Every structure is written in structure tokens, then in C-alpha cells.
Amino acid sequence: MSKFYITTTLPYVNADPHIGFALEIVQADVIARWHRRVGDEVFFNTGTDEHGLKIYRGAQGEGMDPKAYADLHAAKFEALKTALNLSYNNFIRTTDPHHVAAAQEFWRRCAEKGDIYKKNYRIKYCVGCELEKTESELEDGRCPLHPHLALEQVDEENYFFRYSRYQDALLELYKNNPQFVVPKNRMLEIVKFTERGLQDFSISRLKSKMPWGVPVPGDDAQVMYVWFDALVNYISALGWPDDLQKFNAFWPGVQVAGKDNLRQQSSMWQAMLLSAGLPPSTQILIHGFITSRGQKMSKSLGNVVSPFEYVEKFGADALRYYLLREIPTLDDGDFTHEQFLARYNADLANGLGNLVQRVSTMIAKYSINVGANGRSPVQSVLRKEIDNCIQRYQLDQALAVIWEKIAACDKRIDNEKPWALAKDTSQHEKLEALLSSLVADLREIGVALLPFLPCTAESILKVVGAEKIVPPAKPLFPRET
RNA sequence: CGCGGGGUAGAGCAGUAGCAGCUCGCCUGGCUCAUAACCAGGAGGUCGUGGGUGCGAAUCCCACCCCCGCAACCA
């Protein structure tokens, strides 16, 4: 039995859980469940990122203490566990005392290595927005929203991380591990980015301006910049640096992240690990974004989809199915209510649900004794194909394979006409063999679905595994209009 | 010349040289075990535009048009 570690990124708690994060964590959940099924001991981590300016300001805006504000919002993310039927075993919050101590220890290691130094940090600041502005945001050297105001130049002394020192080491890492980042085009993107040269980045902020962060060891005037502390969660979650037994058993692991996080996960964090003298991650999976009619979801467009809303109306497995099947695992995908309904009705209600219903009804109606064939161990043909898909992270493909099997069962029923066989007592044996074989197929489908739609899979296995098979009391997926 | 992705049926997509395909939707027929479900057949596309190479191009080459991300310290 081998150990397997998988983690999502930590969403920032200043907004409600986004459907895009639901996608990420459901993908990680399928991979984790699959690894458990093949016998691995799995550590599955997720959590929340709670430091930084936006949280600080958000809390101030509501007249709250930052920690209380974070508590309030973190609870919404923890609620995803039940809503989406997730199997993670660790939920880390970057405000956890253990994590704070780990981030400080990590800082010390990088500092000992000579990778942390103080430098003047010059930013442009728009008083109108009360925000820093990067060069790329400016138009003619002025803030596009407040062109009448001159930008202020802010100088503050911050700590910097010697990212530039790790350019060659990172390129070496990528070269030796062509699968380090998947999919391939993301790997290419990060290699090109690294080849262009890396610039040291700032890893602290003046406490007097922004106190909501992990204190920098040995400097009361500064707190860590939120990224530096947040990335360390991937190892502090495993008990680093105190519980080295657990850490060594599970690290390194697989990290799932969105394409907006490519650099932080596959480059900056890897450089930090190298600096601290720790092994780099095993692999970074980069999923895409969910658009709605091809447009980015945004509050101003009013096209934001709430994962909770769909779970409430259609159940966790219906949302899991859509996210896993309709959104290509490592690419962008689209979410619209119409497409959701189409998938739900075609695949779940008419396909899977209806097949379970028609087979179990016939067995009850024709008083069939499911024979040895129907009770035999699950065939491995389908499972092997699905295992291949999952190992290549083609979760959508894996589901497509299962649905081909469902279609084949429907076709077979139509071809062999069990209702006709039932009218002729001399054909009873043939009828029994047919339905037993279909029960075996359903069990195979049920087992294959376990990592993807855990509740539904168990319901199916319960129906077809019963001594006396009867149709489900309620349809698995009632048709919706 | 900043980096990358894309433009194929009403919608969403697959297809890297050999008869243009899949899913949904739509139409017709069949069936009756089932959630008006299931099965069969059909309509629907000048494969972004123009040129080039090839016996043959959605696919390779050149040019152009359009869409979308990213452009690092914004979590």
C-alpha cells in the first residue's frame, strides 16, 4: 500500500465559494477516492487562505475583527464538504497556530540559505482607488479610473525572496519531469516564462499599514506577504516541521490548481521549496476556468453560478456529474443552466436512472431469480479502461466510457426484447440469463461510478445487490423541465 | 515582432493529409420493461478569409481577419 497526497489550492475567503473552486475540489475528490479504491493511503487536503489586505479591508468594512470575519467566511467553504460530498480528511486555515509557526520556520530556512534580503519596494498608488497600480494597469501613466489624480509613488522597505537564483534549478526540474505540470501547454507556458528570466519578489508588508499577516521572524515591523505564508500550507497541512514522520510519508504530492495559479504553484512555490531544502511537488494539475456562454463569470455581469443552489435543487451528484463530464478536466468549459438541464435529463434521468429503473422493474415484475452470472465478481474490462482515463486525468473521458456502457445496455434490451420473452414460459431461462447479465452490468457501472458519483453509485449497488431486487422507491434522477 | 489558446451542423465539441464525425436539440418510424423514457432512420456544415504545396488539405506552408486568457508582487 503506497501513500498518496493530494491538495487543492486554498481559496481566499473574501467571497462566497465559486463554482470554479467547486470544480477544483470535485476533481481532487475523484482522484482521491480513486486512489483509496486502488488501496493507497490517501491524505487529501484543502482549506482557506485568510491573511492579507483584502481580508483586512473586508473586516474593517464590516466593523469586524479580521479573525471573526475570516471565521464567518471560512465556514461557507467548510460547508462545501457536505454539499458536494467531499472526502478530504484535512481542512487547513492559514490562521491556524500550527500553520503560522510553520510559515515562520519556512521563512527562517530560506533566510538561512541567504534567499531573503531587504530592498526598497516602489509601487505606484492611486489614492482614488486606494490601491496599488502595476504598470500594466495604467493608461498613459495614470489610473484609468482616476485620470485626474496623479499617482503617488510609495516607497517602503520590504523583504524580498531571491527567486532569480532558482531559474536554472527550475528549468532543470521541468526538463527532468516533463509531466511536472499537466496539461502540456501549461508546462510549455511555465517553461517559457522561466526562460524569460525571474525577478525577485516581495514577501512582506509593513505592519503599520497592513497588520493582518504572519509576523516576520525577527522583525516586528513587518508581516509576511500573504502568498508566502499561504503556499506553505501544502506542507504545514502534513505536520511540517513538527511531525516529520507524517510529512516524510506523504510529501511530495499532487497539487490541483486553476490556470490563474500556474506561476504560484509550479514556479514560485517550487523555488521556495528548493530554497528551504525540501523536495519539490510531485505534479501540478492545472484545470481551466468555467465560463458562462463563453464569458467570464463576474458579479457585474450577474452570471455567477452558486454551487449550493444546484446542489439544493438537483443533488450533489448531479452537480458533480456536470462539472466532471461537461467541463474538460484540464481545459476551460462552459456552464449554463440550459446545458446543465440537458445533461441532467439526457444522461442522468434518461440514461443512468432510467436503465436502473427498467432493469429492476422487469426483475420484480417477471419474478426473476438473479443467477450466478448476476452475482459474480464485477468484470474488470470497463474498470481497466476507466483506470487508464483517470491516470491520464481525463475524468470527462472516464465518464464517457461509462455512458457508452449504459447505452450498450439500453440497446441490448431493445434488441433482445425481454418483455417478449416474458410472455413465453419456455423462454424463462433465456429471460433469466439476460436479466442476470444486465444486473452484472449495473454492478460494474455502479463500481465504476464510485469515485465520481459516490451516493448514486452506492444506491445502484444497493438496488442490484439486494437479495430480492426491487426498483428504487424514488427514481435516482427524476426528469426535470 | 511580449506569451499562449481558439474560429468545424442551431448549441457545445472531436478530428494533424485518404468518403466530415460525436453529444444535445429538431423531424420521421419502431417498441412498450422503464422517469413521454428506450431503439432505428433522417434533415442540417462552401471546416474564419485569401493564396500556396500535394494525386488528395479541416489537417502542412504563407498572409490576413476575428474571439479569449495571461502580461508576475492585484490572493
Side-chain angles (χ1 to χ4, degrees):
Chain A
M1 172 158 85
S2 54
K3 311 255 199 257
F4 179 74
Y5 177 44
I6 187 164
T7 179
T8 66
T9 54
L10 302 191
Y12 207 58
V13 289
N14 67 335
D16 288 343
H18 191 275
I19 190 89
F21 181 66
L23 170 74
E24 177 171 320
I25 201 163
V26 166
Q27 289 179 343
D29 188 61
V30 173
I31 296 166
R33 285 177 187 273
W34 181 81
H35 272 273
R36 282 190 207 102
R37 207 187 70 188
V38 300
D40 290 340
E41 189 183 337
V42 173
F43 194 98
F44 177 13
N45 177 58
T46 190
T48 43
D49 182 5
E50 307 186 358
H51 289 120
L53 190 62
K54 281 195 180 174
I55 304 297
Y56 184 61
R57 293 231 169 111
Q60 279 184 323
E62 296 187 23
M64 292 176 79
D65 171 70
K67 180 63 167 68
Y69 178 85
D71 286 346
L72 189 72
H73 287 83
K76 292 182 189 169
F77 285 86
E78 292 187 74
L80 279 177
K81 182 167 193 173
T82 314
L84 292 171
N85 194 10
L86 302 169
S87 65
Y88 61 78
N89 61 294
N90 194 66
F91 189 95
I92 192 167
R93 299 180 55 188
T94 56
T95 49
D96 291 342
H98 165 74
H99 170 78
V100 169
Q104 289 173 323
E105 177 58 22
F106 197 95
W107 177 290
R108 281 187 212 103
R109 303 259 175 125
C110 295
E112 277 167 28
K113 195 74 170 283
D115 286 335
I116 293 178
Y117 64 98
K118 244 181 173 176
K119 189 174 92 173
N120 222 44
Y121 177 48
R122 299 181 52 178
I123 54 164
K124 289 180 173 156
Y125 195 82
C126 172
V127 184
C129 299
E130 291 280 12
L131 278 176
E132 301 174 13
K133 294 284 154 179
T134 59
E135 286 300 332
S136 56
E137 288 177 302
L138 302 179
E139 282 175 15
D140 300 323
R142 286 174 175 261
C143 168
L145 299 175
H146 303 92
H148 56 290
L149 293 172
L151 287 165
E152 282 183 28
Q153 192 81 34
V154 174
D155 283 48
E156 66 176 64
E157 196 158 64
N158 287 156
Y159 290 96
F160 275 70
F161 175 70
R162 269 189 224 285
Y163 190 29
S164 56
R165 181 184 264 186
Y166 292 94
Q167 181 174 358
D168 291 344
L170 287 171
L171 287 171
E172 190 70 12
L173 169 68
Y174 303 147
K175 198 178 142 201
N176 295 335
N177 302 279
Q179 298 272 302
F180 183 70
V181 177
V182 287
K184 247 190 254 150
N185 60 330
R186 298 291 169 206
M187 182 83 235
L188 190 70
E189 200 175 326
I190 202 67
V191 168
K192 290 229 173 193
F193 163 74
T194 311
E195 281 172 349
R196 280 201 299 277
L198 305 175
Q199 286 173 32
D200 297 350
F201 56 88
S202 139
I203 54 171
S204 74
R205 291 290 183 269
L206 269 184
K207 200 174 186 174
S208 55
K209 288 188 186 166
M210 210 296 291
W212 185 238
V214 176
V216 166
D219 188 340
D220 288 345
Q222 304 254 349
V223 296
M224 289 183 201
Y225 174 55
V226 59
W227 269 115
F228 192 89
D229 116 60
L231 288 168
V232 175
N233 96 83
Y234 304 128
I235 60 171
S236 70
L238 293 173
W240 188 89
D242 306 321
D243 187 349
L244 287 181
Q245 201 181 346
K246 193 203 271 179
F247 174 72
N248 289 328
F250 285 100
W251 186 259
V254 171
Q255 298 182 218
V256 186
K259 64 179 185 181
D260 56 330
N261 255 271
L262 175 66
R263 283 178 190 169
Q264 288 87 340
Q265 308 302 328
S266 59
S267 183
M268 294 159 78
W269 168 230
Q270 303 309 319
M272 286 164 62
L273 284 164
L274 288 168
S275 173
L278 298 169
S281 308
T282 305
Q283 193 171 43
I284 315 289
L285 300 191
I286 302 291
H287 63 80
F289 281 167
I290 300 179
T291 55
S292 184
R293 289 179 212 293
Q295 286 184 303
K296 206 166 170 172
M297 286 190 193
S298 75
K299 281 181 186 166
S300 53
L301 283 172
N303 59 357
V304 173
V305 173
S306 158
F308 293 112
E309 204 178 294
Y310 277 84
V311 167
E312 204 176 304
K313 276 191 205 156
F314 302 96
D317 280 348
L319 181 59
R320 287 174 67 108
Y321 181 76
Y322 187 92
L323 294 174
L324 293 165
R325 173 71 192 263
E326 185 70 17
I327 313 291
T329 309
L330 300 174
D331 207 348
D332 289 352
D334 211 61
F335 190 107
T336 62
H337 185 67
E338 291 74 14
Q339 193 59 17
F340 179 91
L341 275 185
R343 275 287 177 200
Y344 177 90
N345 282 328
D347 295 356
L348 296 176
N350 300 348
L352 179 61
N354 185 55
L355 178 64
V356 171
Q357 200 74 25
R358 66 196 301 208
V359 171
S360 55
T361 301
M362 283 191 280
I363 287 171
K365 202 169 191 169
Y366 304 148
S367 308
I368 299 297
N369 277 315
V370 174
N373 184 7
R375 301 289 182 206
S376 64
V378 167
Q379 300 293 308
S380 63
V381 186
L382 183 61
R383 184 164 161 183
K384 210 166 193 174
E385 232 175 310
I386 288 161
D387 286 356
N388 280 336
C389 290
I390 295 179
Q391 279 164 322
R392 287 196 302 259
Y393 303 116
Q394 296 174 330
L395 307 183
D396 52 333
Q397 265 306 307
L399 286 171
V401 167
I402 297 173
W403 258 259
E404 275 170 26
K405 179 77 181 175
I406 292 169
C409 288
D410 275 330
K411 196 170 291 192
R412 186 165 172 217
I413 294 171
D414 273 65
N415 286 341
E416 306 198 15
K417 303 180 173 53
W419 52 89
L421 298 177
K423 283 174 186 153
D424 180 351
T425 45
S426 72
Q427 300 281 348
H428 190 76
E429 221 165 275
K430 204 172 167 187
L431 177 64
E432 206 158 80
L434 170 63
L435 287 170
S436 293
S437 165
L438 286 165
V439 165
D441 287 340
L442 281 178
R443 284 172 55 232
E444 194 176 358
I445 289 166
V447 169
L449 282 173
L450 278 169
F452 300 90
L453 313 177
C455 268
T456 304
E458 274 165 34
S459 301
I460 292 170
L461 292 174
K462 205 174 154 195
V463 167
V464 296
E467 194 54 41
K468 189 171 190 271
I469 293 179
V470 293
K474 277 185 198 162
L476 294 178
F477 298 98
R479 209 183 144 81
E480 298 281 344
T481 46

